[in-house]
Amino acid sequence: MKNKTVWSNRFKGETSISLQKIGSSINVDKRLYEQDIAASIIHAKMLMKQKIINSSIGNKIINGLKKIKIQIDKDNFNFQEKYEDIHLNIEKKLFEIIGPAAGYLHTARSRNDQVVTDFKLWVKQASKSLNKKIILLMKSLIKKAEKNTGTIMPGLTHLKNAQPVSFAHYLLSYYEMFKRDKQRFENNIDLLNECPLGSAALSGTSYKIDRKYTATKLGFKKPTDNSIDSVSDRDFAIDFLYASALSAMHLSRLAEDFVIYNSDAFNFISFEDNMLTGSSIMPQKKNPDPAEIIRGRVGLNYGYLNSMLTIMKGLPMSYFKDLQDDKELVFNGFDTLNDSLTLGIELINSVKPNKSQMLVMANQGFTTATDFADYLVKEKNLSFRESHSLSAKLVGLAEKKGVTLNELSLQELKKINKNLDRDVLKIFDLKNSMNSKKSYGGTAEANVKMMIKKYKKETK
Ligand code: ARG
């Protein structure tokens, strides 16, 4: 038995070295050891409860598995390529520790249902751990926003100055995105929450197993309803990779904003030195590397998602070895997003807004032109289209004179509409403009403060 594959009796000679090397997944799927051992222990308990194996054998198996867990925890386990994957490495070790009793563990199961059970357990836990990090990131956005509800910056569309908004309102737009990202991981947990164990190779089993027991003990809502589906699909892995890719995309947009805002041309924000790197040649440089890493790494997350989708495309029913690479993609997807989130949190914490520059820039580009049009609608009873065109004229006038809208005199304004009085001048004040956006979800300071209260409750 020692040194041989579990299927060696039907085979002449040894597995090719290249197949062993390329076909083995142990270097990747050893990350499943906790899930594999937990699922095996529950499986053994179920077999005992159902009197499929006797309790002396069952207890030996459980004790052996617990010993193996300690060995791996302590980095005291020799993973072997020739045993292919985590499932067979553990089974081989169990034989070493408890002898022939180990042979009873694989009753009424196959590696096909075993691997997908382990993997679902892993994805559930990974989703929860990413969500904890996403909440930390949301909290860092709230904290930064709280200090900046009155910090005025130009809100941009097409990267052109559009309308004044608060830096807080801008930051909290990302809060909403990450809140949905978190929900996406939760939705996936909900969908995958059925236990495949007991589906065996693909057809189920003739033993009188108790799948409800196994499912409940492993923290699943219920057992899966179709044994073929159970061992075949990896939609939950795709959902996980999609949720990861999407969250990485949101992070990438935030990072890109930060790179732009930190540029010398914009000069809206700076970072603490611990979030910057220097240049090996240009002594003056302080570069926003973390933002660039985050911006770029979304490419890796997209790649993992694409690879998984491609592996699944056209795969006939049911289990095939093609599926084995699912784990490397998901583990990499997790690691990449996890790193980006860690760096993202630190980056947000270290952002320092350059308030005076933001204010100066918010006044460039005629950002209160819409407010003027709205004023004409509300106070002078004009249609919005007419007001829009009058306001465009006003912008043309200011542009020609080379001044900002708030630098125009009342006389000049009267050229646009003779009924205007002093009252109109407040319209070109940035703070007034920002605080007039009181519609639900708008940038008015009072609104944003109210949202911050709500967000604090949500992230408690
Ligand atoms: N290491 C395999 C995987 O990850 C386990 C399942 C193997 N099953 C099989 N019939 N070869 O997919």
Side-chain angles (χ1 to χ4, degrees):
M1 202 61 192
K2 218 169 181 254
N3 269 330
K4 284 195 173 156
T5 57
V6 289
W7 51 77
S8 63
N9 285 339
R10 222 182 95 67
F11 286 68
K12 292 195 195 87
E14 304 249 305
T15 315
S16 132
I17 296 294
S18 356
L19 174 55
Q20 264 187 40
K21 204 170 149 48
I22 299 165
S24 142
S25 58
I26 186 61
N27 285 328
V28 172
D29 61 26
K30 59 183 170 199
R31 276 177 86 165
L32 290 178
Y33 82 92
E34 279 183 75
Q35 289 74 17
D36 196 66
I37 290 172
S40 286
I41 288 176
I42 296 302
H43 182 67
K45 285 186 177 168
M46 186 277 293
L47 293 176
M48 280 158 74
K49 181 178 88 69
Q50 297 302 96
K51 306 215 167 10
I52 298 168
I53 62 173
N54 71 43
S55 54
S56 127
I57 286 178
N59 287 325
K60 264 191 204 160
I61 290 175
I62 291 167
N63 288 334
L65 288 168
K66 285 181 179 164
K67 279 186 192 142
I68 294 173
K69 169 149 185 330
I70 294 169
Q71 286 182 9
I72 305 180
D73 280 344
K74 289 191 175 152
D75 220 358
N76 199 6
F77 188 100
N78 184 18
F79 292 104
Q80 296 201 57
E81 213 167 59
K82 66 173 179 236
Y83 299 143
E84 217 181 289
D85 57 23
I86 186 65
H87 323 294
L88 293 177
N89 267 271
I90 289 176
E91 186 174 326
K92 279 284 173 187
K93 181 59 80 179
L94 193 61
F95 272 101
E96 243 178 78
I97 298 177
I98 68 169
Y104 288 84
L105 174 61
H106 212 54
T107 316
R109 77 172 187 191
S110 147
R111 271 190 303 159
N112 294 356
D113 59 341
Q114 187 180 354
V115 69
V116 68
T117 304
D118 297 356
F119 197 26
K120 276 186 164 187
L121 287 171
W122 193 92
V123 168
K124 250 170 101 168
Q125 184 217 300
S127 304
K128 286 180 188 164
S129 120
L130 286 173
N131 274 353
K132 274 196 189 142
K133 225 167 224 180
I134 291 178
I135 290 177
L136 290 180
L137 190 125
M138 288 157 75
K139 281 185 171 169
S140 59
L141 288 168
I142 297 175
K143 211 169 140 198
K144 198 54 72 174
E146 221 175 355
K147 295 201 185 101
N148 288 288
T149 53
T151 306
I152 298 174
M153 67 182 279
L156 308 170
T157 62
H158 311 269
L159 218 57
K160 301 279 286 179
N161 288 11
Q163 294 176 331
V165 297
S166 71
F167 187 49
H169 196 52
Y170 156 79
L171 287 171
L172 293 174
S173 67
Y174 283 99
Y175 176 97
E176 292 286 343
M177 298 177 214
F178 290 111
K179 184 173 142 184
R180 290 193 294 275
D181 292 344
K182 190 173 138 281
Q183 188 61 46
R184 239 169 247 116
F185 283 113
E186 275 159 22
N187 293 348
N188 188 31
I189 291 179
D190 221 41
L191 266 181
L192 68 73
N193 216 355
E194 298 184 352
C195 183
L197 201 60
S199 301
L202 83 163
S203 66
T205 176
S206 59
Y207 295 97
K208 287 205 160 39
I209 58 172
D210 182 350
R211 291 195 62 207
K212 273 199 180 139
Y213 171 90
T214 314
T216 311
K217 290 284 175 192
L218 286 174
F220 290 101
K221 236 173 13 211
K222 62 183 273 295
T224 50
D225 289 339
N226 181 297
S227 59
I228 300 178
D229 164 56
S230 305
V231 300
S232 305
D233 204 2
R234 293 294 184 271
D235 52 359
F236 67 91
I238 294 174
D239 280 344
F240 178 84
L241 288 171
Y242 170 65
S244 305
L246 201 45
S247 193
M249 178 273 283
H250 287 147
L251 271 171
S252 169
R253 292 187 70 176
L254 177 66
E256 167 67 345
D257 279 349
F258 281 2
V259 170
I260 294 174
Y261 294 168
N262 178 246
S263 67
D264 294 313
F266 268 72
N267 191 23
F268 279 5
I269 56 171
S270 56
F271 299 104
E272 311 272 358
D273 274 357
N274 67 347
M275 282 283 109
L276 296 164
T277 58
S279 155
S280 61
I281 173 170
M282 297 168 284
Q284 84 283 12
K285 291 279 268 171
K286 284 189 172 183
N287 296 326
D289 278 26
E292 294 163 25
I293 291 172
I294 294 170
R295 180 178 59 188
R297 289 249 169 109
V298 64
L300 300 182
N301 284 102
Y302 286 180
Y304 305 134
L305 170 62
N306 245 306
S307 303
M308 192 67 228
L309 284 166
T310 310
I311 286 175
M312 295 306 292
K313 180 194 170 291
L315 198 67
M317 284 298 126
S318 58
Y319 177 85
F320 289 87
K321 189 76 162 183
D322 309 44
L323 295 175
Q324 179 162 280
D325 285 324
D326 56 0
K327 286 166 289 293
E328 183 162 6
L329 297 172
V330 165
F331 294 162
N332 286 342
F334 169 83
D335 290 339
T336 307
L337 177 60
N338 194 42
D339 284 350
S340 292
L341 285 167
T342 304
L343 218 45
I345 292 166
E346 285 192 42
L347 197 62
I348 293 164
N349 290 340
S350 95
V351 163
K352 292 178 286 185
N354 182 352
K355 296 183 187 181
S356 55
Q357 170 70 358
M358 281 182 173
L359 191 65
V360 167
M361 288 305 290
N363 211 16
Q364 297 296 312
F366 317 105
T367 53
T368 51
T370 315
D371 300 272
F372 180 60
D374 291 336
Y375 178 85
L376 295 177
V377 170
K378 287 190 266 185
E379 303 296 328
K380 306 296 167 201
N381 259 329
L382 303 182
S383 80
F384 182 74
R385 271 292 152 254
E386 196 182 354
S387 307
H388 181 276
S389 113
L390 288 176
S391 182
K393 268 190 200 154
L394 186 74
V395 170
L397 200 89
E399 198 171 37
K400 216 154 122 200
K401 288 199 68 184
V403 296
T404 57
L405 291 179
N406 62 340
E407 285 167 343
L408 290 169
S409 67
L410 187 56
Q411 274 121 314
E412 286 164 321
L413 289 164
K414 282 189 166 189
K415 284 184 200 156
I416 300 296
N417 180 308
K418 59 180 184 336
N419 296 328
L420 289 170
D421 49 49
R422 295 213 76 76
D423 183 55
V424 69
L425 297 176
K426 67 169 191 289
I427 285 304
F428 304 109
D429 175 68
L430 296 177
K431 206 173 182 91
N432 178 71
S433 161
M434 180 179 90
N435 286 330
S436 71
K437 308 295 163 47
K438 290 197 178 80
S439 57
Y440 187 82
T443 190
E445 190 161 6
N447 271 13
V448 174
K449 282 186 171 159
M450 186 183 78
M451 283 301 170
I452 289 178
K453 264 194 201 148
K454 170 167 127 55
Y455 293 158
K456 278 185 167 174
K457 264 190 219 149
E458 286 173 359
T459 51
K460 236 187 200 151

